[in-house]
Every structure is written in structure tokens, then in C-alpha cells.
Amino acid sequence: MKSYTELLKQINKATDNANIMVDELMENHTSFRVGGPADILVTPNDVLEVQALIKICKKYKVNYFLIGKGSNLLVKDGGIRGVVIKLCNLNKIEVEGNEITAQSGASLYDVTIAALDNGLKGIEFANGIPGSIGGAAAMNAGAYNGEMSMVLDSMLAIDNNGELLTIEKDEMELSYRSSAVLKYGYTVISVTLKLEVGDKAVIKARMDDLAKKRSDKQPLEYASAGSTFKRPEGHYASVLIQDSNLKGTHVGDAEVSVKHSGFIINKKSASATDILDLIKLVQDEVQEKFGVRLDTEVKIWGEDKEPFEGAASCEAGSTSEIGSSSY
Ligand SMILES: Cc1cc2nc3c(=O)[nH]c(=O)nc-3n(C[C@H](O)[C@H](O)[C@H](O)COP(=O)(O)OP(=O)(O)OC[C@H]3O[C@@H](n4cnc5c(N)ncnc54)[C@H](O)[C@@H]3O)c2cc1C
């Protein structure tokens, strides 16, 4: 950590009341409940602090990683070398007419409730997704025939030089679980959604129905990051996994959920290594049986517990994607 002394000093200077943690375990910040220590984890309070942090990381050639609710992340047991910027304190939501502008750290739950309260429809699908609106925009999250691409109108973001920019819908490059945000390493500060006027009772009924579908079908009682794998073209990952007889297969406390084979769950005290080993086992079995290689939807970040000599290196102009790997 000695090389971070000056960096920490600068971060302290640039952020007024931000919570700054050193060697903070990422298991405390991910829905999988795994992940080793991040060198530095900062929770900025406003856009100026986020800009300053990005500029500082660039100046000191230190990687930075953006997290919302950590509900789509698998952080390895060796943790993260660099600065994790957690955006949960940027969480204001404003409604004007049929538009909602929400800061990136606002929970999808709060955004969907704001839509309901104002009789606006179109984002009911996101009600049970346990992420932030910024994470959902970055991931183009979707469920039950809905997707962020259907409601996003514009975003305020920061590029990896620390400069503010507005991203209009036609510049977002939204595709299945991907976006320009991930591709170019932008930091989403706020998003504006364009919704339609609807009947509150109908909106509420749809939200309740989807919540029930989720609790009936998904292992919500266990830690996970949702669907572990992307949907391969022409197939459903969960069906391929189920038909490979992998339901209930486990490595330590990491298990292919019996309730929903598309979810790998942490039953109690799985390590990230257990989960990664299980992911590989599933990928290999499905490939052998069906000739289809499953890619992870979950973002895999960080280092193994005992990195081999010289493995850690810092790069300039890091993005939210640096440090992630397709396992
Ligand atoms: C039980 C469960 C059910 C789920 N169901 C669904 C589902 O139905 N559909 C679905 O799509 N997903 C689902 N997920 C996955 C996850 O909730 C979504 O991908 C969610 O949108 C991630 O948001 P987050 O804030 O947690 O992002 P994080 O996990 O914190 O980050 C995910 C990615 O987004 C980036 N990111 C986060 N915030 C920002 C920002 N402000 N600016 C730029 N980049 C950012 C990160 O760098 C990372 O690359 C589920 C997860 C769980 C645990």
C-alpha cells in the first residue's frame, strides 16, 4: 500500500465527506457475498467528487472500478488492485411529466416505485432487479420482455478523462447486456427515462405479478448475482444446464441452484474460487454435451488470492471494464 499514500492524500483532499475505506472486503459490497479486499473503496457524494476521483486515478495511473449495488459482480478472493468507486450516495430521483431523472446510485426498486406513484408505466419489469439504475443502464438490464433500452432517453456521464458528457439514446449502443457505457468506460451520473402515462392499479398489478414470478422461480433466499450466464443464441442457458444434469452440482458452498439452474448460488460460505470452479465445470459440461460455450453475464473482477509474481500492474485511463475477465 505504500505507493498509495499520495493517492489517498489526494482522494481525501478532493472528497469532502466521502467514506474512504482501505483494504475493504468486496464481499461486503456484492450480492454474491464474496470478494477479497479492494485497495481503496470510496463512496463519493456528488458529481464533482466523482470527476475528481477519476482525474486522480488517471493522474496516478491507478485502475478504477465502478459499482452500483454490486448485484452483477463476482470479485475474486485476492480482491481488487486500485480504487473502487461506489455510487450509492448519488441517489436522487426527480419526476417531471412522463420523464424520470434518477442519479445512477438510485435503486431500481425506488425508481419503479416513483414511476408507480406518478402513474407512469414501462419500467415495471425492473422492479425485482436488485441493482442501481446506473448499473442497469450500463448492463442494459432486462426481464420479462422489458429492457432498459425501451425506456432510456438520455444519460449524463463522465468519460475516462473526467469530463462530463450527455449521451443521447442513439449513442448508447444498447444491446443484450451491453452498452456504450461498458464499451468506452463511461461513468453514468444520471439517467433520464421516458415513460408512458398509465393506470396506477394496472401498473401495481403488473409489478406484483412479476415479483411473484421471481419469488416462485428464483432462489432469492440465497446470495447470488442473478443469472450467471448470458443467453446463448438459439438456447436458454438454464435449459442447457438442466439438461446436462447439473442442478444441485456444487463446489464447496457454491451450487447450481435446484430452483433455477441459471443461477449459481452461494449457499453460505463459498469463496469466489469455488464459484469460479463451478462456472468452469458448468461451461465444460455444457460444451461437451451440446457444443455451446456459455459466456458469463456476471462481471468477473480482481485477482486470485495468490497472484503469481509480477501479475499486478496498473494501467492508465482505466475503465469499468478493466480488471474484469471473461473466465
Ligand atoms: C436475485 C437477482 C436477480 C437478478 N435479476 C436480473 C434480471 O432479471 N435482469 C437483469 O438484467 N439482471 C438481473 N440481475 C443482475 C443485476 O441485478 C443487474 O445486472 C443490475 O442492473 C446490476 O446493477 P448494479 O447496480 O448492481 O451493478 P453492479 O453489479 O454494481 O455493476 C455491474 C456493471 O455495471 C457497471 N456499473 C455500475 N454502475 C455504473 C455506473 N454508474 N456507471 C457506469 N458503469 C456502472 C459496473 O462497472 C459493472 O461493469 C439480478 C441479480 C440478482 C442478484
Coordinates of all heavy atoms in Angstrom, one line a residue, residues 163-227:
E163 N -14.3 14.1 -17.9 CA -15.1 15.2 -18.5 C -16.6 14.7 -18.6 O -16.8 13.6 -18.9 CB -14.6 15.6 -19.9 CG -13.2 16.0 -20.0 CD -12.8 17.2 -19.0 OE1 -13.7 18.0 -18.8 OE2 -11.7 17.2 -18.5
L164 N -17.5 15.7 -18.3 CA -18.9 15.4 -18.4 C -19.4 15.3 -19.8 O -18.9 16.1 -20.7 CB -19.7 16.5 -17.7 CG -19.9 16.4 -16.2 CD1 -20.6 17.7 -15.7 CD2 -20.8 15.2 -15.8
L165 N -20.3 14.4 -20.1 CA -20.9 14.4 -21.4 C -22.3 13.9 -21.3 O -22.7 13.2 -20.4 CB -20.1 13.5 -22.4 CG -20.1 12.0 -22.3 CD1 -19.8 11.4 -23.6 CD2 -19.1 11.5 -21.2
T166 N -23.1 14.3 -22.3 CA -24.5 13.8 -22.4 C -24.5 12.7 -23.4 O -24.0 12.9 -24.5 CB -25.5 15.0 -22.7 OG1 -25.4 16.0 -21.7 CG2 -26.9 14.5 -22.8
I167 N -25.1 11.6 -23.1 CA -25.2 10.5 -24.1 C -26.7 10.4 -24.5 O -27.6 10.1 -23.6 CB -24.7 9.2 -23.5 CG1 -23.3 9.4 -23.0 CG2 -24.7 8.1 -24.6 CD1 -22.8 8.1 -22.2
E168 N -27.0 10.7 -25.8 CA -28.4 10.5 -26.2 C -28.6 9.1 -26.6 O -27.7 8.3 -26.8 CB -28.6 11.4 -27.5 CG -28.4 12.9 -27.3 CD -29.3 13.5 -26.2 OE1 -30.4 12.9 -25.9 OE2 -29.0 14.6 -25.8
K169 N -29.9 8.8 -26.7 CA -30.3 7.4 -26.9 C -29.6 6.7 -28.1 O -29.1 5.6 -27.9 CB -31.8 7.4 -27.2 CG -32.4 6.1 -27.6 CD -33.0 5.4 -26.4 CE -33.7 4.1 -26.8 NZ -34.8 3.9 -25.9
D170 N -29.5 7.4 -29.2 CA -28.9 6.8 -30.4 C -27.3 6.6 -30.2 O -26.7 6.1 -31.1 CB -29.2 7.6 -31.7 CG -28.7 9.0 -31.6 OD1 -28.2 9.4 -30.6 OD2 -28.9 9.7 -32.6
E171 N -26.8 7.1 -29.1 CA -25.3 6.9 -28.9 C -25.1 5.9 -27.9 O -23.9 5.6 -27.5 CB -24.7 8.3 -28.5 CG -24.9 9.4 -29.4 CD -24.6 10.8 -28.8 OE1 -25.0 11.0 -27.6 OE2 -23.9 11.6 -29.5
M172 N -26.1 5.3 -27.3 CA -25.9 4.4 -26.2 C -25.4 3.0 -26.6 O -25.0 2.2 -25.7 CB -27.2 4.3 -25.4 CG -27.6 5.5 -24.6 SD -29.1 5.3 -23.7 CE -29.5 7.0 -23.3
E173 N -25.6 2.6 -27.8 CA -25.2 1.3 -28.3 C -25.7 0.2 -27.4 O -25.0 -0.7 -27.0 CB -23.6 1.2 -28.4 CG -23.1 2.2 -29.4 CD -21.6 2.1 -29.6 OE1 -21.0 1.0 -29.5 OE2 -21.0 3.2 -29.8
L174 N -27.0 0.2 -27.1 CA -27.6 -0.8 -26.2 C -27.8 -2.1 -27.0 O -28.4 -2.1 -28.0 CB -28.9 -0.2 -25.7 CG -28.7 1.0 -24.8 CD1 -30.1 1.8 -24.7 CD2 -28.2 0.7 -23.5
S175 N -27.3 -3.1 -26.4 CA -27.6 -4.5 -27.0 C -27.7 -5.4 -25.8 O -27.6 -5.0 -24.6 CB -26.5 -4.9 -28.0 OG -25.2 -4.9 -27.3
Y176 N -27.8 -6.7 -26.1 CA -28.0 -7.7 -25.0 C -26.9 -7.6 -23.9 O -25.8 -7.9 -24.1 CB -28.1 -9.1 -25.6 CG -28.3 -10.2 -24.5 CD1 -29.4 -10.1 -23.6 CD2 -27.4 -11.2 -24.4 CE1 -29.5 -11.1 -22.7 CE2 -27.6 -12.2 -23.5 CZ -28.6 -12.2 -22.6 OH -28.8 -13.1 -21.7
R177 N -27.3 -7.1 -22.8 CA -26.5 -6.9 -21.6 C -25.2 -6.1 -21.9 O -24.1 -6.4 -21.4 CB -26.1 -8.2 -20.9 CG -27.3 -9.1 -20.5 CD -28.2 -8.4 -19.5 NE -29.4 -9.1 -19.3 CZ -30.6 -8.8 -19.8 NH1 -30.7 -7.7 -20.6 NH2 -31.6 -9.5 -19.6
S178 N -25.3 -5.2 -22.8 CA -24.1 -4.4 -23.1 C -24.5 -3.0 -23.6 O -25.7 -2.7 -23.9 CB -23.4 -5.1 -24.3 OG -22.2 -4.3 -24.6
S179 N -23.6 -2.1 -23.6 CA -23.8 -0.7 -23.9 C -22.5 0.1 -24.1 O -21.4 -0.4 -23.8 CB -24.5 0.0 -22.7 OG -23.6 0.1 -21.6
A180 N -22.7 1.3 -24.7 CA -21.5 2.2 -24.9 C -20.8 2.5 -23.5 O -19.6 2.7 -23.4 CB -21.9 3.5 -25.5
V181 N -21.6 2.5 -22.4 CA -21.1 2.8 -21.1 C -20.0 1.7 -20.8 O -18.9 2.1 -20.3 CB -22.2 2.7 -20.0 CG1 -21.6 2.8 -18.6 CG2 -23.2 3.9 -20.3
L182 N -20.3 0.5 -21.0 CA -19.3 -0.6 -20.7 C -18.2 -0.5 -21.7 O -17.0 -0.7 -21.4 CB -20.0 -2.0 -20.7 CG -21.0 -2.2 -19.6 CD1 -21.5 -3.7 -19.7 CD2 -20.4 -2.1 -18.2
K183 N -18.6 -0.3 -23.0 CA -17.6 -0.4 -24.1 C -16.5 0.7 -23.9 O -15.3 0.4 -24.1 CB -18.3 -0.2 -25.4 CG -17.6 -0.7 -26.6 CD -18.6 -0.8 -27.7 CE -17.9 -0.8 -29.1 NZ -18.9 -0.6 -30.2
Y184 N -16.9 1.9 -23.6 CA -16.0 3.0 -23.5 C -15.6 3.4 -22.1 O -14.9 4.4 -22.0 CB -16.6 4.2 -24.3 CG -17.0 3.9 -25.7 CD1 -18.3 4.0 -26.1 CD2 -16.1 3.4 -26.6 CE1 -18.7 3.7 -27.4 CE2 -16.5 3.1 -27.9 CZ -17.8 3.2 -28.3 OH -18.2 2.8 -29.6
G185 N -16.1 2.7 -21.1 CA -15.7 3.0 -19.8 C -16.3 4.3 -19.2 O -15.6 5.0 -18.4
Y186 N -17.5 4.7 -19.6 CA -18.1 5.9 -19.1 C -18.6 5.6 -17.7 O -18.9 4.5 -17.3 CB -19.3 6.3 -19.9 CG -19.0 6.7 -21.4 CD1 -19.9 6.4 -22.4 CD2 -17.8 7.4 -21.7 CE1 -19.6 6.8 -23.7 CE2 -17.5 7.8 -23.0 CZ -18.4 7.5 -24.0 OH -18.1 7.8 -25.3
T187 N -18.7 6.7 -16.9 CA -19.4 6.6 -15.6 C -20.7 7.3 -15.7 O -20.8 8.5 -16.0 CB -18.5 7.3 -14.6 OG1 -17.2 6.7 -14.6 CG2 -19.1 7.3 -13.2
V188 N -21.8 6.5 -15.5 CA -23.1 7.1 -15.5 C -23.4 7.9 -14.2 O -23.2 7.4 -13.1 CB -24.2 6.0 -15.6 CG1 -25.6 6.7 -15.7 CG2 -24.0 5.1 -16.9
I189 N -23.8 9.2 -14.4 CA -24.1 10.0 -13.3 C -25.6 10.1 -13.0 O -26.1 10.0 -11.9 CB -23.5 11.4 -13.5 CG1 -22.0 11.4 -13.4 CG2 -24.0 12.4 -12.4 CD1 -21.4 10.8 -12.1
S190 N -26.3 10.2 -14.1 CA -27.8 10.1 -14.0 C -28.4 9.7 -15.3 O -27.7 9.8 -16.4 CB -28.4 11.5 -13.6 OG -28.2 12.4 -14.7
V191 N -29.6 9.2 -15.3 CA -30.3 8.7 -16.5 C -31.6 9.4 -16.5 O -32.3 9.6 -15.5 CB -30.4 7.2 -16.6 CG1 -29.1 6.5 -16.4 CG2 -31.5 6.7 -15.6
T192 N -32.1 9.7 -17.7 CA -33.5 10.1 -17.9 C -34.3 9.1 -18.7 O -33.8 8.6 -19.7 CB -33.5 11.5 -18.6 OG1 -32.8 12.4 -17.8 CG2 -35.0 12.0 -18.8
L193 N -35.4 8.7 -18.1 CA -36.3 7.7 -18.7 C -37.5 8.3 -19.2 O -38.0 9.3 -18.6 CB -36.7 6.7 -17.6 CG -35.6 6.0 -16.7 CD1 -36.3 5.2 -15.6 CD2 -34.7 5.2 -17.5
K194 N -37.9 7.9 -20.4 CA -39.2 8.4 -20.9 C -40.2 7.3 -20.8 O -40.0 6.2 -21.3 CB -39.0 8.8 -22.4 CG -39.9 9.8 -22.9 CD -39.6 10.4 -24.2 CE -39.3 11.9 -24.2 NZ -38.7 12.4 -25.4
L195 N -41.3 7.6 -20.0 CA -42.3 6.5 -19.7 C -43.6 7.0 -20.3 O -43.7 8.1 -20.8 CB -42.4 6.3 -18.2 CG -41.0 5.9 -17.6 CD1 -41.2 5.8 -16.0 CD2 -40.6 4.5 -18.1
E196 N -44.6 6.1 -20.1 CA -45.9 6.5 -20.6 C -46.9 6.6 -19.5 O -46.7 5.9 -18.4 CB -46.4 5.4 -21.5 CG -45.8 5.4 -22.9 CD -46.3 4.2 -23.7 OE1 -47.5 3.8 -23.6 OE2 -45.5 3.6 -24.4
V197 N -47.9 7.4 -19.7 CA -48.9 7.6 -18.6 C -49.7 6.3 -18.6 O -50.1 5.7 -19.6 CB -49.8 8.8 -18.9 CG1 -51.0 8.8 -17.9 CG2 -49.0 10.1 -18.9
G198 N -49.9 5.8 -17.4 CA -50.7 4.5 -17.2 C -51.6 4.5 -16.0 O -51.6 5.5 -15.2
D199 N -52.3 3.5 -15.8 CA -53.3 3.4 -14.7 C -52.5 2.8 -13.5 O -51.9 1.7 -13.6 CB -54.4 2.4 -15.2 CG -55.4 2.3 -14.1 OD1 -55.1 1.6 -13.1 OD2 -56.5 2.9 -14.2
K200 N -52.5 3.5 -12.4 CA -51.8 3.0 -11.2 C -52.1 1.6 -10.8 O -51.2 0.8 -10.5 CB -52.0 3.9 -10.0 CG -51.2 5.2 -10.1 CD -51.3 5.9 -8.8 CE -50.8 7.3 -8.9 NZ -50.8 8.1 -7.7
A201 N -53.4 1.2 -10.8 CA -53.8 -0.1 -10.4 C -53.2 -1.2 -11.3 O -52.7 -2.2 -10.9 CB -55.3 -0.2 -10.3
V202 N -53.2 -0.8 -12.6 CA -52.7 -1.8 -13.6 C -51.2 -2.0 -13.4 O -50.6 -3.1 -13.5 CB -53.1 -1.4 -15.0 CG1 -52.4 -2.3 -16.1 CG2 -54.6 -1.3 -15.2
I203 N -50.5 -0.8 -13.2 CA -49.0 -0.8 -13.0 C -48.7 -1.7 -11.8 O -47.8 -2.5 -11.8 CB -48.5 0.6 -12.9 CG1 -48.7 1.4 -14.2 CG2 -47.0 0.6 -12.5 CD1 -48.5 2.9 -14.1
K204 N -49.4 -1.4 -10.7 CA -49.2 -2.1 -9.4 C -49.4 -3.6 -9.6 O -48.6 -4.5 -9.2 CB -50.1 -1.5 -8.4 CG -50.2 -2.3 -7.1 CD -49.1 -1.7 -6.1 CE -49.2 -2.2 -4.7 NZ -49.2 -3.6 -4.5
A205 N -50.5 -4.0 -10.3 CA -50.8 -5.4 -10.5 C -49.7 -6.1 -11.3 O -49.3 -7.2 -11.0 CB -52.1 -5.5 -11.3
R206 N -49.1 -5.4 -12.3 CA -48.1 -6.0 -13.1 C -46.8 -6.2 -12.2 O -46.1 -7.2 -12.3 CB -47.8 -5.0 -14.3 CG -46.5 -5.4 -15.1 CD -46.8 -5.8 -16.5 NE -45.5 -6.0 -17.3 CZ -45.1 -7.3 -17.6 NH1 -45.8 -8.3 -17.3 NH2 -44.0 -7.4 -18.2
M207 N -46.5 -5.2 -11.4 CA -45.3 -5.3 -10.5 C -45.5 -6.4 -9.6 O -44.6 -7.2 -9.3 CB -45.1 -3.9 -9.8 CG -44.4 -2.9 -10.7 SD -44.6 -1.2 -10.1 CE -43.7 -1.3 -8.5
D208 N -46.7 -6.6 -9.0 CA -46.9 -7.7 -8.1 C -46.8 -9.0 -8.7 O -46.2 -10.0 -8.2 CB -48.3 -7.5 -7.4 CG -48.4 -6.3 -6.5 OD1 -47.3 -5.8 -6.1 OD2 -49.5 -5.9 -6.1
D209 N -47.3 -9.1 -9.9 CA -47.3 -10.3 -10.7 C -45.8 -10.8 -11.0 O -45.5 -11.9 -10.8 CB -48.1 -10.1 -12.0 CG -48.0 -11.4 -12.9 OD1 -48.3 -12.5 -12.3 OD2 -47.7 -11.3 -14.1
L210 N -45.0 -9.8 -11.4 CA -43.6 -10.1 -11.7 C -42.8 -10.5 -10.4 O -42.0 -11.3 -10.5 CB -43.0 -8.9 -12.5 CG -43.6 -8.6 -13.8 CD1 -42.8 -7.5 -14.6 CD2 -43.6 -9.9 -14.7
A211 N -43.2 -9.8 -9.3 CA -42.5 -10.1 -8.1 C -42.8 -11.5 -7.7 O -41.9 -12.3 -7.2 CB -42.9 -9.1 -7.0
K212 N -44.0 -11.9 -7.9 CA -44.4 -13.3 -7.5 C -43.7 -14.3 -8.4 O -43.2 -15.3 -7.9 CB -46.0 -13.5 -7.6 CG -46.4 -14.9 -7.3 CD -47.8 -15.0 -6.8 CE -48.3 -16.4 -6.5 NZ -47.4 -17.5 -6.8
K213 N -43.7 -14.0 -9.7 CA -43.0 -14.9 -10.6 C -41.5 -15.1 -10.2 O -41.0 -16.2 -10.2 CB -43.0 -14.3 -12.1 CG -44.3 -14.5 -12.8 CD -44.1 -14.4 -14.3 CE -45.4 -14.8 -15.1 NZ -46.3 -13.6 -15.4
R214 N -40.9 -14.0 -9.8 CA -39.5 -14.1 -9.4 C -39.4 -14.9 -8.1 O -38.5 -15.8 -8.1 CB -39.0 -12.7 -9.0 CG -38.4 -12.0 -10.1 CD -37.8 -10.6 -9.8 NE -37.5 -9.9 -11.0 CZ -36.4 -10.0 -11.7 NH1 -35.5 -10.8 -11.3 NH2 -36.3 -9.3 -12.8
S215 N -40.2 -14.7 -7.1 CA -40.0 -15.5 -5.9 C -40.4 -16.9 -6.1 O -39.9 -17.8 -5.4 CB -40.7 -14.8 -4.7 OG -42.1 -14.8 -4.9
D216 N -41.3 -17.2 -7.0 CA -41.6 -18.6 -7.3 C -40.5 -19.3 -8.0 O -40.3 -20.5 -7.8 CB -42.9 -18.7 -8.2 CG -44.2 -18.4 -7.5 OD1 -44.1 -18.3 -6.2 OD2 -45.2 -18.2 -8.1
K217 N -39.8 -18.6 -8.9 CA -38.8 -19.3 -9.8 C -37.4 -19.1 -9.4 O -36.5 -19.9 -9.8 CB -39.0 -18.8 -11.2 CG -40.4 -19.1 -11.8 CD -40.3 -19.2 -13.3 CE -41.6 -19.8 -13.9 NZ -42.3 -18.9 -14.8
Q218 N -37.1 -18.0 -8.6 CA -35.7 -17.7 -8.4 C -35.3 -18.0 -6.9 O -36.1 -17.8 -6.0 CB -35.4 -16.3 -8.7 CG -35.6 -15.9 -10.2 CD -35.3 -14.5 -10.5 OE1 -34.9 -13.7 -9.7 NE2 -35.5 -14.2 -11.8
P219 N -34.0 -18.4 -6.7 CA -33.6 -18.8 -5.3 C -33.2 -17.5 -4.5 O -32.1 -17.3 -4.2 CB -32.4 -19.7 -5.6 CG -31.8 -19.2 -6.9 CD -33.0 -18.7 -7.7
L220 N -34.2 -16.7 -4.3 CA -33.9 -15.3 -3.7 C -33.5 -15.4 -2.3 O -33.0 -14.5 -1.7 CB -35.2 -14.4 -3.8 CG -35.7 -14.2 -5.3 CD1 -36.9 -13.3 -5.3 CD2 -34.6 -13.7 -6.2
E221 N -33.6 -16.6 -1.7 CA -33.2 -16.8 -0.3 C -31.7 -17.0 -0.1 O -31.2 -16.9 1.0 CB -34.0 -18.0 0.4 CG -33.8 -19.3 -0.3 CD -34.6 -19.6 -1.5 OE1 -35.0 -18.7 -2.3 OE2 -34.9 -20.8 -1.8
Y222 N -31.0 -17.1 -1.3 CA -29.5 -17.3 -1.2 C -28.8 -16.1 -1.9 O -29.4 -15.5 -2.8 CB -29.1 -18.6 -1.9 CG -29.6 -19.8 -1.2 CD1 -30.6 -20.6 -1.7 CD2 -29.0 -20.2 0.0 CE1 -31.0 -21.8 -1.0 CE2 -29.4 -21.3 0.7 CZ -30.4 -22.1 0.2 OH -30.8 -23.2 0.9
A223 N -27.6 -15.9 -1.5 CA -26.7 -14.9 -2.2 C -26.4 -15.4 -3.6 O -26.2 -16.6 -3.9 CB -25.5 -14.7 -1.4
S224 N -26.5 -14.5 -4.6 CA -26.2 -14.8 -6.0 C -25.9 -13.5 -6.7 O -26.0 -12.4 -6.1 CB -27.4 -15.5 -6.6 OG -28.4 -14.6 -7.0
A225 N -25.7 -13.6 -8.0 CA -25.6 -12.4 -8.8 C -26.6 -12.5 -10.0 O -26.4 -12.1 -11.1 CB -24.2 -12.2 -9.4
G226 N -27.7 -13.2 -9.7 CA -28.8 -13.4 -10.7 C -28.3 -14.5 -11.7 O -27.6 -15.4 -11.3
S227 N -28.7 -14.3 -12.9 CA -28.3 -15.3 -14.0 C -26.8 -15.3 -14.1 O -26.3 -14.2 -14.5 CB -29.0 -15.0 -15.3 OG -30.4 -15.1 -15.2

